[in-house]
Amino acid sequence: MEERMETLIREMKNGDQRSLARLISCVEDRQAGWKDVMKSIYPGIGKACVLGITGSPGAGKSTLAGEIARRFLDRGLSLGIIAVDPSSPYSGGALLGDRLRMRDISTNPGVFIRSMATRGALGGLCQAARDVMRIMDAAGKDVVLIETVGVGQDEIEVVSASDYVVLVTFPGQGDGIQAIKAGVMEIADLFVVNKCDRDGADVMASEISAMLELSSEAGQERPPVMMTSAFTQEGIDDLCGVLSEFINQKKARGKPQRDHVRNEVLGLLEREMVGMLRERIMENGKLESALDAILEGKGDPYSAAEELMARVHLVRSRPGERKEDTRG
Amino acid sequence: MVQESRIRVLIAKPGLDGHERGAHVVAYGLRDEGFEVIYTGLRQTPEQIVSAAVQEDVDVVGLSILSGAHLSLTRKVMEGLKAKGANDILVTVGGIIPEEDREALERMGVGGVFTSGSKIKDIAAHIRTRLGEMCPHEEENRGLFTEGTQATAGTGHEGQ
């Protein structure tokens, strides 16, 4: 591994914030050597408890994350917070405003807040976010909070990579069903009805409870439904109580599950393969001529994709006559 | 492997100043130029701004100041960044800045002063140029010369 990376990792483990920030950028940007960083820190991780916070825009996720973080800091825990916001599909830029809601804690040395844009590349968010969680874990954080809008496959995958998922809803966004119908219900370990100082919070909470009752087997434990208000501070201590109980359990647990590891290895492999394929298809210039043909009305996208695929030779030599692949 | 780097900018409003329209306009504008913009909100202390700049590993800090306290606030931010070894971050100042203070700010190490009427395109171009000068070998990594209209890297729009 590059010496610069080694120094950064050493400094990060000594608690240097700038080195931690630099390593996150290196991995998030997929800069040269990012895999070496991940390989190097992987053996020591698994100590941090990862809490996922998801919910629709405006539900109060960032504010709630800030409140939870403040209480954990008071108890002497160290935290990493990853706040994910969408990139613009048009410009590729992003406006990341979650930090704005956590200003009370922003200079506390026990917390490290990092905003992350989705960047929208090939299911890359999930892996990149997971990598950032691991770096914070390696930096010695006790708890990593990741908050993201739970919309779309990619973002749901992000939170499902965490140890415990909190789904935040609030009264006034239609009925309870509206808030939780997009397939996020299944991944939540805990439901929070935030802004409970507003009208309709208890109706919403009972609707969610009723739905959970319908969807769960008899005798099976149902996820709790809690009510909070960051404005009046109601219920937040109780929420933190449930979360710290889970954190303590997790300390006794450990070991990643086989299914998760399989998905991750397959995911990394897919990404690598798609990148390689794309590079080869772009390279021989056939893509552009296929596009020309389609635009001139002489072809269709389906045949073009098939033909391009047929031209790519993944394996160029048979076993026994192995030659060095010129396209590495 | 496709590089997915983006220029990261922190837009911050230090001190007692409640006017954030200008900061919003710049934040939205730079987002549309393809930058990742982190917005801190109103009434930040220099310590909060320095800490955000370090943790977010930004390339640029843009301070928006309309209160008249730009000299002392900017000095504190510059000193804070230096103390954290982060004085390689480009700092720009915007807002109501009297022309005669421009030189004093530049002497502190400020790399760009943009008063009202500045065009977003000019600010973005200035940032790209300055970052290019500061780390020429990273030009390609940082996507300094990609146009704002280009879709995200690695989504199949590259290589044209």
Side-chain angles (χ1 to χ4, degrees):
Chain A
M1 184 168 34
E2 245 186 277
E3 204 182 310
R4 185 176 81 98
M5 299 296 182
E6 275 172 20
T7 316
L8 283 177
I9 292 175
R10 198 171 50 244
E11 293 289 308
M12 172 196 77
K13 289 186 175 169
N14 289 335
D16 180 49
Q17 294 215 332
R18 186 138 165 93
S19 303
L20 172 54
R22 280 274 153 93
L23 282 172
I24 291 176
S25 301
C26 158
V27 167
E28 189 190 6
D29 296 346
R30 301 311 196 207
Q31 289 168 21
W34 75 273
K35 278 187 207 156
D36 294 330
V37 172
M38 293 313 298
K39 286 180 210 166
S40 152
I41 63 164
Y42 191 82
I45 60 160
K47 295 188 187 84
C49 183
V50 183
L51 304 177
I53 300 180
T54 184
S56 45
K61 297 178 294 295
S62 305
T63 310
L64 207 54
E67 292 291 338
I68 294 168
R70 192 155 60 84
R71 282 164 177 76
F72 283 173
L73 286 167
D74 286 347
R75 292 178 200 181
L77 294 172
S78 63
L79 283 110
I81 301 179
I82 307 169
V84 182
D85 266 337
S87 294
S88 156
Y90 302 105
S91 71
L95 188 57
L96 311 167
D98 292 323
R99 233 193 144 82
L100 178 61
R101 320 282 171 200
M102 305 176 193
R103 55 175 98 186
D104 285 1
I105 53 166
S106 64
T107 51
N108 188 313
V111 68
F112 186 98
I113 308 171
R114 182 67 177 233
S115 313
M116 229 178 135
T118 53
R119 298 194 181 176
L122 291 170
L125 170 66
C126 181
Q127 189 63 43
R130 196 185 338 231
D131 295 340
V132 176
M133 287 177 208
R134 285 176 176 158
I135 296 172
M136 289 185 170
D137 185 340
K141 302 295 176 200
D142 299 308
V143 178
V144 177
L145 285 177
I146 174 156
E147 62 127 320
T148 169
V149 175
V151 178
Q153 186 69 29
D154 223 26
E155 300 217 20
I156 288 174
E157 265 177 44
V158 171
V159 284
S160 63
S162 46
D163 298 310
Y164 194 85
V165 179
V166 178
L167 178 66
V168 185
T169 63
F170 65 105
Q173 50 170 27
D175 58 12
I177 317 305
Q178 204 63 28
I180 49 179
K181 68 179 172 189
V184 285
M185 188 129 187
E186 296 81 350
I187 60 163
D189 297 296
L190 175 83
F191 289 81
V192 169
V193 178
N194 194 29
K195 309 191 187 187
C196 72
D197 51 297
R198 290 193 187 174
D199 285 344
D202 38 5
V203 176
M204 179 127 187
S206 51
E207 271 176 11
I208 295 174
S209 300
M211 236 172 106
L212 290 171
E213 195 153 343
L214 280 175
S215 63
S216 62
E217 307 277 328
Q220 191 189 341
E221 203 184 325
R222 284 193 294 275
V225 181
M226 305 187 78
M227 297 212 278
T228 59
S229 163
F231 182 56
T232 65
Q233 297 288 304
E234 192 185 333
I236 298 180
D237 286 332
D238 295 342
L239 172 63
C240 288
V242 174
L243 294 177
S244 17
E245 206 172 297
F246 175 78
I247 293 169
N248 293 334
Q249 282 172 11
K250 148 89 181 171
K251 288 230 163 10
R253 224 163 21 110
K255 283 268 167 181
Q257 287 171 11
R258 192 179 184 86
D259 282 349
H260 291 167
V261 182
R262 179 186 296 118
N263 284 343
E264 182 169 4
V265 174
L266 285 175
L268 285 166
L269 202 60
E270 273 167 26
R271 202 168 154 68
E272 199 85 3
M273 280 162 58
V274 169
M276 200 170 75
L277 272 178
R278 184 163 274 175
E279 217 171 275
R280 289 197 183 169
I281 287 167
M282 298 288 182
E283 199 180 51
N284 61 22
K286 296 288 184 220
L287 175 66
E288 292 308 311
S289 35
L291 298 186
D292 290 342
I294 297 169
L295 293 176
E296 283 161 22
K298 291 178 195 149
D300 63 88
Y302 312 97
S303 326
E306 257 178 23
E307 280 159 26
L308 286 169
M309 190 64 214
R311 282 180 220 272
V312 176
H313 303 287
L314 280 180
V315 183
R316 293 199 166 172
S317 49
R318 283 188 218 108
E321 47 175 309
R322 238 186 129 83
K323 259 193 304 181
E324 195 58 38
D325 195 334
T326 48
R327 277 286 326 134
Chain B
M1 179 56 78
V2 184
Q3 287 272 357
E4 294 165 17
S5 185
R6 292 260 154 205
I7 296 175
R8 287 168 70 88
V9 184
L10 183 79
I11 298 290
K13 281 207 63 81
L16 296 173
D17 164 7
H19 303 281
E20 57 181 341
R21 183 57 57 201
H24 282 183
V25 169
V26 173
Y28 287 130
L30 292 181
R31 177 200 64 184
D32 293 340
E33 284 290 320
F35 295 6
E36 286 181 359
V37 182
I38 296 124
Y39 184 56
T40 64
L42 291 171
R43 291 183 275 277
Q44 297 285 293
T45 62
E47 294 76 31
Q48 285 173 318
I49 293 168
V50 168
S51 153
V54 168
Q55 293 181 2
E56 300 288 357
D57 193 23
V58 291
D59 306 291
V60 186
V61 173
L63 300 173
S64 162
I65 311 171
L66 292 85
S67 64
H70 45 273
L71 290 178
S72 65
L73 287 168
T74 307
R75 183 173 296 114
K76 282 180 187 155
V77 170
M78 301 303 286
E79 284 169 1
L81 288 173
K82 197 169 180 197
K84 298 255 184 178
N87 44 336
D88 54 332
I89 297 175
L90 172 67
V91 178
T92 63
V93 178
I96 300 174
I97 313 292
E99 203 45 47
E100 59 263 35
D101 287 345
R102 186 183 284 268
E103 204 192 315
L105 287 170
E106 283 167 356
R107 268 204 309 272
M108 284 179 210
V110 168
V113 177
F114 298 95
T115 54
S116 56
S118 303
K119 293 197 169 55
I120 295 286
K121 290 264 177 223
D122 296 340
I123 300 176
H126 178 84
I127 289 173
R128 290 197 178 97
T129 314
R130 284 300 297 259
L131 292 182
E133 286 165 6
M134 285 157 79
C135 43
H137 59 286
E138 282 190 25
E139 276 166 10
E140 261 177 50
N141 294 357
R142 294 273 175 202
L144 293 179
F145 298 114
T146 56
E147 284 302 313
T149 48
Q150 192 187 340
T152 48
T155 49
H157 301 271
E158 70 272 55
Q160 283 136 11

